Amino acid sequence: MSDWCDAEEVPLPIPAQVPAGEEVEFNRTGLYLTLSRAGRRQRTQVIQYRNLPDATRAILTVVDWPAPTIRMVWVAWDPDRMSLEYTSGTVLATAEAVPRKGDARAIATDEMLGCFTGPPTSYWPHRDVEVRVGGLWRPGKLRSLFHGPGGRAAAWVTTSLYEPEWGTWVTFRRMYHWNPEAIRPAQTNLGRADGRPDKM
């Protein structure tokens, strides 16, 4: 998606002001939309979305160019022109709805606090990995490892999972228990002569 076309606006009524917090999709799900507008990329919060009678979907969001304009617009959802990311760890992807044995295990909010007392090992901007989710290996990007006592560690990973509702791959931010049997270097990172993955 390096040559995105600009998002197309949809002629739906624009609210006079941003809806109340409990009605804003971002506040419930942390859903971000990245689109192209006036030839530039923008990452913006999803305020609302609705399905239209013609089987398309429209997303209400805020755009801030061309400068100095900042306004809400409805844009036509098009997976070839834009991408989505869920930043809330509580929103389950379809592939996560039925966990399988051997899947990477997400960390609950109050778990493994001892891993976050020191500086992490960062993989800037990321290291390509595969994460076992829903019984299958899925593409992901390892951002950091947070080390705790007893050799335990937490891995901050962004995982790409196919979402039938949106008809495309969607990015999910996850904090997983570090487990080399559930998170491994991507096949493109395999570099040993014996075919085994490099150590992380």
Side-chain angles (χ1 to χ4, degrees), residues 31 48 64 82 88 94 99 102 119 128 132 142 147 158 188 200:
L31 184 57
Q48 291 178 348
D64 62 5
M82 49 194 70
S88 170
T94 303
D128 289 334
R132 192 167 172 82
L142 175 65
H147 306 279
T158 55
T188 56
M200 293 218 188

Side-chain angles (χ1 to χ4, degrees), residues 67-82:
T69 309
I70 298 177
R71 63 191 182 98
M72 282 190 290
V73 296
W74 286 98
V75 296
W77 163 244
D78 183 344
D80 294 326
R81 296 184 181 207
M82 49 194 70

Side-chain angles (χ1 to χ4, degrees), residues 6 78-79 81 90 102 128 130 132 150-152 169 179 189 192:
D6 280 1
D78 183 344
R81 296 184 181 207
T90 61
D128 289 334
E130 294 175 336
R132 192 167 172 82
R152 297 192 313 156
W169 292 82
N179 177 359
N189 287 347
R192 292 172 47 135

